[in-house]
Amino acid sequence: MTRFRYFTAASLDGFLADDDDNLDWLMTQPIDEDGPLNYSEFIAGIGALVMGATTYQWVVEHNATSGESWQYTQPTWVFTHRQLAPVVDNVTIAAGAAIDFRQTLAEAADGKDVWIVGGGDLAAQFADAGMLDEVLVSFAPVTLGGGRPLFTRAYDFELREVDRNGAFVVARYDVVGARGRN
Ligand SMILES: NC(=O)c1ccc[n+]([C@@H]2O[C@H](COP(=O)([O-])OP(=O)(O)OC[C@H]3O[C@@H](n4cnc5c(N)ncnc54)[C@H](OP(=O)(O)O)[C@@H]3O)[C@@H](O)[C@H]2O)c1
């Protein structure tokens, strides 16, 4: 059965990016690409992606600067209220409630899982819709003091796995539910 998984990195104080969407604090950290909770193993199990507009624009701009092309072969849904241009054919621009996309995403994932790429409010919207099974976070040894939050609701999680990968504490959690509702 398709799982909805939020796989991300965060600062120690729970931010995905600083207020300027800068990720330099993250990209410069040492990591073992074959180590615990590594990206290659994770992405191999992913059949479809979901991301918010800020994340999408960061990826597109980062690729434009570095000369890379869109890196995801899986169909990707980008949530925005704007008319953003899809960079490739398998990017779909979407808006609305997560629940309205449940069947579409599960079908697109074709037996694999759905990656909620971020940001933290989109992940929380999916959780509120009962569409978030797992959160996998690599915590960098940095505090940012503010920025884009890892998650924007009060929720309980159950720690299922924890390890070290390079500079990161990597942790995998099951989503238990909204605090006060479980
Ligand atoms: N550390 C990491 O590994 C990691 C992972 C992921 C992301 N990031 C970074 O973290 C930052 C995340 O940015 P963010 O917090 O602004 O989150 P985001 O989810 O990337 O973007 C938020 C935007 O998504 C759109 N949106 C969200 N829910 C929607 C819905 N239900 N329907 C329609 N549109 C919806 C809205 O865009 P509109 O204003 O266009 O309507 C909203 O302003 C980015 O800088 C990204 O690069 C870091």
Side-chain angles (χ1 to χ4, degrees):
M1 184 159 152
T2 298
R3 289 174 297 173
F4 290 81
R5 309 173 84 194
Y6 180 29
F7 176 95
T8 190
S11 65
L12 264 190
D13 52 348
F15 296 103
L16 299 177
D18 70 15
D19 284 323
D20 300 320
D21 295 308
N22 193 306
L23 295 179
D24 288 353
W25 56 274
L26 174 62
M27 309 300 239
T28 50
Q29 302 292 338
I31 189 162
D32 174 0
E33 288 180 4
D34 300 317
L37 253 64
N38 70 72
Y39 175 78
S40 303
E41 269 177 34
F42 173 78
I43 197 76
I46 295 300
L49 278 67
V50 172
M51 65 180 73
T54 316
T55 301
Y56 174 69
Q57 288 184 299
W58 186 91
V59 174
V60 170
E61 283 162 26
H62 177 79
N63 285 348
T65 307
S66 64
E68 293 165 62
S69 41
W70 182 252
Q71 50 271 65
Y72 306 112
T73 53
Q74 299 90 337
T76 300
W77 276 258
V78 173
F79 279 74
T80 179
H81 298 96
R82 291 169 284 156
Q83 303 292 316
L84 296 181
V87 275
V88 290
D89 285 348
N90 67 1
V91 166
T92 301
I93 304 299
I99 196 69
D100 295 339
F101 293 85
R102 182 172 200 129
Q103 192 177 343
T104 304
L105 290 169
E107 281 172 12
D110 196 20
K112 292 189 169 186
D113 293 329
V114 175
W115 178 14
I116 315 297
V117 183
D121 189 67
L122 189 64
Q125 291 176 46
F126 273 71
D128 281 352
M131 293 167 66
L132 192 63
D133 299 297
E134 214 176 48
V135 175
L136 304 99
V137 189
S138 296
F139 289 101
V142 178
T143 54
L144 296 175
R148 308 286 194 178
L150 171 63
F151 204 77
T152 59
R153 311 273 202 284
Y155 262 70
D156 287 312
F157 301 88
E158 183 179 353
L159 181 64
R160 304 295 290 186
E161 195 181 339
V162 66
D163 214 325
R164 177 189 183 158
N165 184 326
F168 296 88
V169 172
V170 295
R172 184 168 66 80
Y173 303 87
D174 281 347
V175 177
V176 175
R179 290 188 63 83
R181 269 204 265 145
N182 53 75

